[in-house]
């Protein structure tokens, strides 16, 4: 019957068990009030103004997709109130959406306390999700798209169009902001949380003026330097991950120029080289 077919699909996607018990994924995807059963599964949006004063704050609840849409609505509303109608977005829309989906999809729902926090500052947007990286996971493997904490959620969000290609969310995020900000996104992983930091176009302009000649560098080279500052070193393979739409020989030349300009120092042979700050 049609009902049995629906049940089979819910079991297949992991929303209910074969004995018709609702799973955590099922509650997050279809629950009428998920936060009643999973209090920390919601989110909080905060907008700060100069001086780190709170100008606006709102709790966000609902299913996983509703949280994505409601957070996105709050961000767009605050960007409009900040810039005025007809002005361009303060932050890259695709990057914001990608960061929100990743936060909802890959956060640790076992942790109690706060849920996702979205903090909007004048120069940046910080999206923090509960749950650090597992012991086997590194930032490089995260950027490579090799981490799925909640595969049932990821499966549903992919089939509903929230995820364009499995495992490509972080890569897409890292390469999607060039026309908005010349300062690349940052990912900060702590023991109990992961924060994605997106910079506004104004922040990128300030960085280009103030950062000791960085305006002479192209966007790929600035991205490489930002990665080295965050992680301590970079390889050609890691730069190819960050700039997946660029040719490998072009990226190799970018690294050589950074060495020639004294921005980076090469360690090791050409085939096994990595680059650090001088």
């Amino acid at each position: 019957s049609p009902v049995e077919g629906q049940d089979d699909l819910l079991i297949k996607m992991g929303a209910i068990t074969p004995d018709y018990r609702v799973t955590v994924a099922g509650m997050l995807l279809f629950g009428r009030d998920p936060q009643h059963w999973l209090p920390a599964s919601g989110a909080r949006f905060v907008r700060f103004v100069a001086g780190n004063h709170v100008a606006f704050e709102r709790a966000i609840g609902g299913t996983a997709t509703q949280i994505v849409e409601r957070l996105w609505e709050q961000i767009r509303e605050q960007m409009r109130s900040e810039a005025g109608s007809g002005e361009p977005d303060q932050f890259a829309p695709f990057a914001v959406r990608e960061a929100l989906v990743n936060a909802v999809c890959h956060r640790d729902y076992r942790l109690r306390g706060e849920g996702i926090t979205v903090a909007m500052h004048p120069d940046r947007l910080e999206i923090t999700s509960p749950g650090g990286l597992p012991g086997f996971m590194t930032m490089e493997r995260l950027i490579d798209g090799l981490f799925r904490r909640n595969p049932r959620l990821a499966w549903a969000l992919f089939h509903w169009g929230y995820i364009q290609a499995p495992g490509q969310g972080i890569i897409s995020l890292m390469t999607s902001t060039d026309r908005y900000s010349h300062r690349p996104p940052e990912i900060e992983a702590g023991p109990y949380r992961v924060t994605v930091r997106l910079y506004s176009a104004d922040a990128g302009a300030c960085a280009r003026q103030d950062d000791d000649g960085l305006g002479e560098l192209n966007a790929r080279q600035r991205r490489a330097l930002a990665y080295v500052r965050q992680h301590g070193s970079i390889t050609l393979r890691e730069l190819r991950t960050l700039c997946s739409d660029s040719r490998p020989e072009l990226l190799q030349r970018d690294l050589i120029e950074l060495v020639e300009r004294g921005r980076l120092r090469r360690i090791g042979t050409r085939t096994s080289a990595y680059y650090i700050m001088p």
Side-chain angles (χ1 to χ4, degrees):
S1 68
V3 174
E4 291 175 342
Q6 292 173 7
D7 289 349
D8 291 340
L9 180 58
L10 290 173
I11 292 172
K12 180 180 179 181
M13 69 184 298
I16 59 175
T17 64
D19 59 350
Y20 301 101
R21 295 178 182 272
V22 179
T23 65
V24 171
M27 181 61 66
L28 293 170
L29 292 170
F30 301 107
R32 292 184 178 179
D33 183 10
Q35 285 69 51
H36 176 77
W37 307 100
L38 302 166
S41 64
R44 183 171 65 102
F45 176 85
V46 187
R47 179 187 163 210
F48 294 93
V49 294
N52 215 32
H53 299 297
V54 175
F56 180 85
E57 184 172 5
R58 176 163 295 177
I60 306 292
T63 63
T65 55
Q66 286 172 337
I67 287 174
V68 171
E69 298 298 344
R70 290 167 182 172
L71 283 171
W72 172 238
E73 182 181 346
Q74 287 298 321
I75 293 169
R76 291 303 303 271
E77 181 179 325
Q78 293 299 317
M79 284 197 295
R80 284 194 295 268
S81 66
E82 180 74 13
S85 59
E87 293 294 327
D89 291 319
Q90 184 180 357
F91 303 98
F94 178 85
V96 174
R97 292 275 301 187
E98 201 69 40
L100 292 176
V101 171
N102 273 280
V104 169
C105 185
H106 299 304
R107 57 153 295 181
D108 192 339
Y109 286 96
R110 300 170 300 177
L111 297 180
R112 299 180 179 179
E114 284 195 359
I116 295 167
T117 299
V118 176
M120 185 176 178
H121 299 265
D123 65 332
R124 67 192 186 278
L125 186 72
E126 295 181 339
I127 301 172
T128 301
S129 55
L133 299 181
F136 64 86
M137 180 58 59
T138 63
M139 287 299 300
E140 289 75 17
R141 287 171 63 86
L142 177 68
I143 293 174
D144 282 344
L146 300 177
F147 181 48
R148 296 181 184 87
R149 193 193 302 274
N150 304 301
R152 294 172 177 173
L153 279 182
W155 186 89
L157 293 174
F158 169 68
H159 285 278
W160 291 347
Y162 283 84
I163 296 175
Q164 293 191 351
Q168 297 298 306
I170 295 296
I171 296 175
S172 299
L173 169 66
M174 298 298 290
T175 59
S176 64
T177 60
D178 276 354
R179 80 181 184 90
Y180 282 86
S181 172
H182 287 268
R183 188 167 182 177
E186 297 175 358
I187 302 176
E188 181 182 322
Y192 303 106
R193 63 184 59 86
V194 173
T195 297
V196 173
R197 192 172 291 112
L198 304 174
Y199 289 94
S200 69
D202 291 341
C206 293
R208 291 196 301 276
Q209 294 173 0
D210 298 340
D211 201 358
D212 191 23
L214 279 184
E216 302 174 358
L217 307 180
N218 62 46
R220 299 181 304 274
Q221 291 169 329
R222 287 193 293 269
R223 182 169 292 167
L225 289 179
Y227 188 92
V228 174
R229 291 191 188 100
Q230 185 174 358
H231 302 283
S233 66
I234 193 170
T235 64
L236 176 59
R237 178 176 178 272
E238 290 166 344
L239 185 56
R240 288 178 64 181
T241 299
L242 293 178
C243 306
S244 58
D245 56 345
S246 300
R247 301 190 309 276
E249 59 270 21
L250 183 62
L251 298 175
Q252 181 68 71
R253 183 59 198 168
D254 286 334
L255 291 173
I256 292 173
E257 287 184 0
L258 288 172
V259 172
E260 292 173 348
R261 295 185 182 197
R263 297 285 186 174
L264 291 178
R265 181 158 63 98
R266 191 177 81 179
I267 306 295
T269 64
R270 183 181 179 89
T271 57
S272 62
Y274 63 95
Y275 299 82
I276 63 174
M277 288 295 180

